[in-house]
Amino acid sequence: EADIYQTPRYLVIGTGKKITLECSQTMGHDKMYWYQQDPGMELHLIHYSYGVNSTEKGDLSSESTVSRIRTEHFPLTLESARPSHTSQYLCASSSGGVGNTIYFGEGSWLTVV
Amino acid sequence: EDQVTQSPEALRLQEGESSSLNCSYTVSGLRGLFWYRQDPGKGPEFLFTLYSAGEEKEKERLKATLTKKESFLHITAPKPEDSATYLCAVQAGNTDKLIFGTGTRLQVFP
């Protein structure tokens, strides 16, 4: 069972607003990820981190930014939200190593109006 | 380019009607193939990891198998609570990043 928590679960905000999606895990995992998923579509990796002070962009270009100041915390920020940012954002973590399971949080549904 | 294709896109089954979901992949150096279950509005829930051709894993009514080109998720005597989207993902090369398929949306009717 994965202990990975995302807040908020649902958020509706206006265009131009700054938002931060929170993600925390209590498993002590070094590796953390953010995936983006539109309804009925596949998940795409937008950011990942292999440890504190390590962040990399994923395969799908995103205007969001991330930070990793603590092992357990991996927030995602949008400085100026736009309707095109409307999507589900999924945080995940892994103990590391190829073949190790990646566990997901419940997701954050973002709607920008 | 690494690619994962799942079929069918959607599947409707009567309760107790067994069937299989397919995940075909084209990757350079498969390191692991993962099956997840995703309920509407929620994150993917881990089911299985398969590492090499010929490997099989079971959990309740689900059984996953792996060949060099594809994986099957067999559902035996499904129940309505098995209704969900089933996602397949692969890790390839020397990266642990997952490449996902678009999923199979399963509906099981009483």
Side-chain angles (χ1 to χ4, degrees), chain B residues 3-73:
Chain B
Q3 198 166 8
V4 177
T5 303
Q6 292 188 247
S7 63
E9 289 186 11
L11 182 61
R12 293 164 57 98
L13 298 174
Q14 198 75 32
E15 184 172 4
E17 180 187 1
S18 301
S19 187
S20 297
L21 283 54
N22 177 265
C23 171
S24 61
Y25 60 91
T26 307
V27 298
S28 301
L30 179 72
R31 304 303 293 268
L33 186 142
F34 299 77
W35 282 99
Y36 289 86
R37 168 190 170 131
Q38 187 174 28
D39 292 303
K42 295 194 173 183
E45 174 189 348
F46 171 72
L47 293 175
F48 304 108
T49 309
L50 302 167
Y51 296 102
S52 57
E55 190 174 359
E56 299 181 353
K57 288 194 176 173
E58 286 188 67
K59 179 180 180 180
E60 295 180 354
R61 295 178 292 281
L62 300 176
K63 178 180 176 181
T65 62
L66 181 65
T67 72
K68 288 187 178 181
K69 293 184 178 181
E70 59 192 349
S71 175
F72 290 94
L73 185 66

Side-chain angles (χ1 to χ4, degrees), chain B residues 62-96:
Chain B
L62 300 176
K63 178 180 176 181
T65 62
L66 181 65
T67 72
K68 288 187 178 181
K69 293 184 178 181
E70 59 192 349
S71 175
F72 290 94
L73 185 66
H74 307 279
I75 302 177
T76 302
K79 298 181 178 181
E81 53 261 42
D82 294 323
S83 297
T85 296
Y86 290 86
L87 301 173
C88 171
V90 298
Q91 285 179 344
N94 58 5
T95 174
D96 65 348

Side-chain angles (χ1 to χ4, degrees), chain A residues 26-45:
Chain A
T26 59
M27 297 170 284
H29 287 169
D30 285 328
K31 295 188 175 182
M32 296 189 74
Y33 313 82
W34 278 101
Y35 284 82
Q36 184 175 343
Q37 184 183 31
D38 293 327
M41 304 297 288
E42 64 264 44
L43 282 75
H44 290 287
L45 181 67

